[in-house]
Amino acid sequence: MAFVMDFRRLVHEAWPAFEQHERDGWVLRYAGGVTDRANSVYARNVPEDMDAALEDAERFYAERGLKPVFTVGDPGLDRVLERRGYRRTRPVLAMVARLGSLPEAPAHPVRIEDEPWDAWMDAWWSVDGRYADRIGDARRIVTGVPAWYAAVERDGVPLAVGRGVPQGDTLGIYCMATLPAARRRGLGRSVIRALVRRAVPAGMSSAYLVVTEANENARGLYRGEGFEVAGEGYHYRVGEGLGAAGRTQGS
């Protein structure tokens, strides 16, 4: 299966920081510290003055109480950051599925809305969140672009959730989370299938998601739904000792 996708760009567009600053080919992103995705430098091009660009980025995050973080997919930038003392962390894999036809119907009823309702946010944040006082920032991120919000519910309470982001002819799948007590029942599988079944009639021919390399359970679920690792993915570089605070959430 051959897919040519710019996954860093897709993630940047599907998981938008609510504060973004363009600096000489780099996008400095800030979203209250919620996820490295939305609080890191997206380096689209090589700046004319690398040292000045790095100092600018480090100052930007220091002013916001964060360590500087880069989303890295370019070996050249990776070497520069390594020499500067940035620590490599959390390698992320991109997985892609070709959507030739509708998948099997979900084994469970799945509710899909165009806006996240409070119980959806609570379910996702209870699994993926780190600090309850940042759920407002998290909502600003996930509602920053048009998306679909899916959930398997019991008595009105979401047990498993996911978010689908239409991006041209591909669907980005994010926010996959299942409450611990409801795992190993195929609920996450039903969420994925429901999102894909909505995407195919809308003209999307592929779907992608990103997952940390260490999350073997999630990778197994996604492989079972036809997703395969594509390309090199990316990782993060964190400037140790260059900022005050850590992140509120992972990838």
Side-chain angles (χ1 to χ4, degrees):
M1 182 187 302
F3 284 96
V4 179
M5 292 184 177
D6 184 345
F7 293 108
R8 288 189 304 137
R9 177 185 61 79
L10 288 168
V11 172
H12 170 68
E13 293 173 353
W15 197 260
F18 46 77
E19 183 180 346
Q20 301 186 29
H21 296 269
E22 298 268 355
R23 305 283 175 86
D24 198 13
W26 288 359
V27 183
L28 311 183
R29 303 176 292 188
Y30 175 74
V34 177
T35 74
D36 281 336
R37 293 176 191 166
N39 293 270
S40 60
V41 178
Y42 168 39
R44 294 187 297 196
N45 301 301
V46 178
E48 292 185 7
D49 188 333
M50 178 65 77
D51 288 337
L54 285 167
E55 291 172 4
D56 198 13
E58 290 165 0
R59 183 167 52 251
F60 175 86
Y61 289 105
E63 290 171 351
R64 290 155 180 79
L66 297 178
K67 295 178 181 179
V69 176
F70 283 74
T71 302
V72 182
D74 173 65
L77 176 61
D78 198 43
R79 290 191 292 270
V80 169
L81 293 173
E82 184 176 29
R83 289 196 297 268
R84 201 174 177 90
Y86 279 69
R87 176 174 56 88
R88 188 180 192 273
T89 183
R90 284 190 302 282
V92 175
L93 299 175
M95 302 184 72
V96 180
R98 190 178 300 281
L99 307 182
S101 59
L102 288 176
E104 294 181 32
H108 310 84
V110 179
R111 174 182 175 184
I112 300 181
E113 302 287 351
D114 291 333
E115 295 288 339
W117 56 105
D118 289 345
W120 186 98
M121 286 294 306
D122 290 342
W124 171 56
W125 197 242
S126 73
V127 175
D128 276 357
R130 296 295 180 268
Y131 298 102
D133 63 345
R134 296 300 178 92
I135 193 170
D137 291 332
R139 181 184 287 272
R140 290 181 69 183
I141 294 170
V142 300
T143 59
V145 293
W148 306 328
Y149 303 86
V152 175
E153 298 178 309
R154 182 179 65 193
D155 299 326
V157 177
L159 302 179
V161 299
R163 170 178 176 260
V165 183
Q167 295 177 272
D169 62 358
T170 194
L171 177 74
I173 296 179
Y174 292 83
C175 300
M176 290 295 301
T178 302
L179 300 186
R183 290 173 183 168
R184 302 189 183 279
R185 302 182 195 174
L187 306 187
R189 190 179 306 277
S190 288
V191 168
I192 291 174
R193 290 182 180 180
L195 289 171
V196 170
R197 286 175 70 87
R198 183 163 177 173
V200 171
M204 292 169 222
S205 58
S206 64
Y208 77 93
L209 49 81
V210 291
V211 58
T212 57
E213 192 174 280
N215 195 344
E216 294 183 1
N217 290 336
R219 287 161 56 192
L221 166 64
Y222 304 145
R223 281 195 300 270
E225 292 304 300
F227 287 82
E228 297 180 9
V229 174
E232 296 297 324
Y234 57 87
H235 58 272
Y236 296 101
R237 285 277 184 183
V238 181
E240 299 295 349
L242 295 173
R247 332 307 292 170
T248 65
Q249 192 178 328
S251 64

